Amino acid sequence: MDDMITPPTVPDAQGRFGPYGGRYVPETLMHALRQLAEQYDAARSDPEFQKQLDYYFEHYVGRPSPLYFAERLTKEAGGARIFLKREDLNHTGAHKINNCIGQALLTKRMGKPRIIAETGAGQHGVATATAAALFGFKCQVYMGAEDVRRQKLNVFKMRAMGTDVIPVESGSRTLRDAINEAMRDWMATVENTHYIIGSVVGPHPFPMMVRDFQSVIGKETKKQCHDQIGRLPDVVVACVGGGSNSAGIFYPFVGDASVELVGVEAGGRGSAEGEHASTLTFGKPGVLHGSMSYVLQTADGQTADVHSVSAGLDYPGVGPEHAHWKDTKRVHYTHVNDADALDGFSLCSKLEGILPALETAHAIVEGMRIASQRSHNDVVVICFSGRGDKDCFEVARLLGQEIDD
Ligand SMILES: *Cc1c(COP(=O)(O)O)cnc(C)c1O
């Protein structure tokens, strides 16, 4: 594909999606972010950069990922035809690698020898470590000490690929503390280090850049729909944590008014504060991690605690472009709870022989609900963001079955 990255209509030059986005960072980082935006702009319009990106997407990641007609899920839902966009078949098992390859190539172009990242459950850390090994960068990943303990397999994978995993002992010893440490590192090392943010969050240009790298998902989907059904789909559904797989599949369809776009957040155990991660349903505009967007907040404006059965959706913020899409009603946002997501995991595994990530299971449940209310002529595409191997221990535990780890 030669049109892998298209120039954005949003954000504006300040990185604003309507009132959202921007750069809420210390002055020391403003210079670095302006420089990054300039270098990304140059890369985006350089055919040689796009050629390299296409090369690694095809030969390393294994793109294009299939758009697969899920016949038995379709029969079960009893309505519209359901297609799955198989990001689980990418190298490393999810969509996150698309962004990491893109940013690693940009790092190479900028001539920086070192990459840092932060990770919660470890999925973004593994994707970053993979890209770092591929291109020979020194790589350090910050991870809350509590998460290091809970995610032994991902920590092992990162270390096996030569990445230095740094346990963060401060605060709650989880993702938010790891983000603070990564920011502190970057402020001191920005001359020789690139910070790979893992979703469409953070200060400009990250939300735009990550969306652009992930929009390969939507571009392929559009072409595959054209080839397989001869038209656009009726509905596209994706789960929303920070919002990168959803932004990636939605973005190329934003201008197609006939295509309904549905984002699915984590409904957790209920609507009480701390029991869910439905930022766009229960959050309010605020600043988190360097940009303005919807944020889950307590009554006195502190960032609220969150919960989800899936670690990748367990985030109190959301990308600023999603906030803009919500306010302009271009995308409809809803949520699916833990118990239903767990049922979706089992159903998809049994009917299709494909174990979905628990994040993905949220999108499957909503996609089936929508399909059940529509005619068989309609087509619902679900972004199958990742495979479920990583979640087997957690699902077994929740189902009361013991497997050793
Ligand atoms: C990380 C992750 C997500 C959530 O992140 P987004 O940025 O919202 O896409 C969803 N699915 C899988 C499989 C993930 O690993």
Side-chain angles (χ1 to χ4, degrees), residues 230-377:
R231 62 178 179 85
L232 292 169
D234 299 284
V235 190
V236 177
V237 186
C239 66
V240 181
S244 69
N245 84 90
S246 51
I249 197 165
F250 291 167
Y251 185 62
F253 291 104
V254 163
D256 300 306
S258 70
V259 182
E260 281 181 39
L261 305 173
V262 180
V264 187
E265 294 187 308
R269 292 180 291 237
S271 59
E273 185 186 302
E275 295 293 306
H276 61 82
S278 309
T279 307
L280 289 162
T281 301
F282 298 112
K284 288 188 306 224
V287 171
L288 181 67
H289 302 142
S291 70
M292 168 79 74
S293 186
Y294 278 73
V295 181
L296 284 169
Q297 301 173 41
T298 62
D300 57 1
Q302 299 296 310
T303 306
D305 288 333
V306 283
H307 162 80
S308 169
V309 68
S310 63
L313 301 185
D314 203 348
Y315 182 67
V318 67
E321 191 159 20
H322 287 287
H324 178 60
W325 285 336
K326 175 188 162 71
D327 285 8
T328 56
K329 300 190 160 57
R330 178 60 190 98
V331 179
H332 172 68
Y333 294 92
T334 182
H335 44 89
V336 161
N337 69 32
D338 285 357
D340 291 343
L342 210 55
D343 287 347
F345 174 95
S346 297
L347 195 65
C348 183
S349 302
K350 291 200 170 74
L351 292 180
E352 297 290 346
I354 309 170
L355 276 67
L358 280 173
E359 293 85 357
T360 312
H362 289 73
I364 292 167
V365 169
E366 184 60 26
M368 289 182 71
R369 279 179 192 157
I370 293 168
S372 72
Q373 290 153 14
R374 288 177 165 254
S375 100
H376 195 65
N377 293 326

Side-chain angles (χ1 to χ4, degrees), residues 88 93-96 123-124 198-201 210 214 239-247 264 310-314 318 322 356-361 383-388 390-391:
D88 60 311
H95 66 290
K96 287 192 170 74
Q123 296 304 113
H124 174 56
S199 190
V200 288
V201 299
V210 178
Q214 292 292 3
C239 66
V240 181
S244 69
N245 84 90
S246 51
V264 187
S310 63
L313 301 185
D314 203 348
V318 67
H322 287 287
L358 280 173
E359 293 85 357
T360 312
C383 188
F384 205 98
S385 58
R387 67 182 181 217
K390 69 181 178 62
D391 293 318

Side-chain angles (χ1 to χ4, degrees), residues 12-316:
D12 65 14
Q14 277 67 52
R16 292 278 179 183
F17 303 86
Y20 305 109
R23 287 177 182 134
Y24 295 80
V25 295
E27 194 50 42
T28 37
L29 283 183
M30 285 304 259
H31 172 68
L33 291 167
R34 275 194 291 264
Q35 195 182 46
L36 179 62
E38 272 170 29
Q39 285 171 320
Y40 174 61
D41 261 350
R44 178 167 54 187
S45 52
D46 179 353
E48 186 52 36
F49 182 77
Q50 302 215 13
K51 225 173 95 186
Q52 286 180 8
L53 194 58
D54 290 352
Y55 176 87
Y56 288 102
F57 276 175
E58 180 180 351
H59 298 284
Y60 189 76
V61 177
R63 308 206 66 94
S65 65
L67 180 69
Y68 162 71
F69 175 45
E71 214 173 326
R72 298 193 71 208
L73 281 180
T74 295
K75 198 173 282 173
E76 174 76 17
R81 285 169 289 162
I82 296 171
F83 285 73
L84 307 176
K85 178 59 174 164
R86 300 286 307 275
E87 292 299 298
D88 60 311
L89 293 177
N90 295 339
H91 177 47
T92 67
H95 66 290
K96 287 192 170 74
I97 191 73
N98 301 328
N99 169 48
C100 290
I101 294 287
Q103 289 199 49
L105 276 172
L106 186 64
T107 307
K108 196 171 139 191
R109 190 184 158 100
M110 294 188 294
K112 295 182 176 181
R114 178 173 177 262
I115 280 173
I116 59 169
E118 96 293 309
T119 193
Q123 296 304 113
H124 174 56
V126 170
T128 302
T130 303
L134 173 64
F135 296 111
F137 295 119
K138 181 172 166 51
C139 181
Q140 294 192 295
V141 170
Y142 291 94
M143 191 168 182
E146 188 55 26
D147 291 330
V148 169
R149 189 185 61 75
R150 285 190 294 218
Q151 304 290 339
K152 293 191 189 77
L153 183 60
N154 281 337
V155 171
F156 177 81
K157 287 180 184 175
M158 287 185 264
R159 288 181 173 152
M161 289 186 279
T163 280
D164 188 11
V165 179
I166 305 173
V168 176
E169 303 282 356
S170 56
S172 58
R173 309 163 88 230
T174 58
L175 180 63
R176 64 179 68 172
D177 314 291
I179 293 175
N180 292 338
E181 281 307 309
M183 279 285 178
R184 205 164 297 152
D185 180 318
W186 203 37
M187 277 193 267
T189 60
V190 68
E191 288 308 315
N192 77 342
T193 298
H194 178 60
Y195 175 17
I196 299 192
I197 290 183
S199 190
V200 288
V201 299
H204 180 63
F206 284 103
M208 170 182 81
M209 189 166 72
V210 178
R211 173 203 69 194
D212 288 349
F213 290 137
Q214 292 292 3
S215 68
V216 64
I217 305 172
K219 283 177 182 159
E220 286 176 5
T221 301
K222 210 170 191 176
K223 181 174 183 304
Q224 290 164 324
C225 281
H226 180 78
D227 293 348
Q228 295 179 36
I229 62 171
R231 62 178 179 85
L232 292 169
D234 299 284
V235 190
V236 177
V237 186
C239 66
V240 181
S244 69
N245 84 90
S246 51
I249 197 165
F250 291 167
Y251 185 62
F253 291 104
V254 163
D256 300 306
S258 70
V259 182
E260 281 181 39
L261 305 173
V262 180
V264 187
E265 294 187 308
R269 292 180 291 237
S271 59
E273 185 186 302
E275 295 293 306
H276 61 82
S278 309
T279 307
L280 289 162
T281 301
F282 298 112
K284 288 188 306 224
V287 171
L288 181 67
H289 302 142
S291 70
M292 168 79 74
S293 186
Y294 278 73
V295 181
L296 284 169
Q297 301 173 41
T298 62
D300 57 1
Q302 299 296 310
T303 306
D305 288 333
V306 283
H307 162 80
S308 169
V309 68
S310 63
L313 301 185
D314 203 348
Y315 182 67

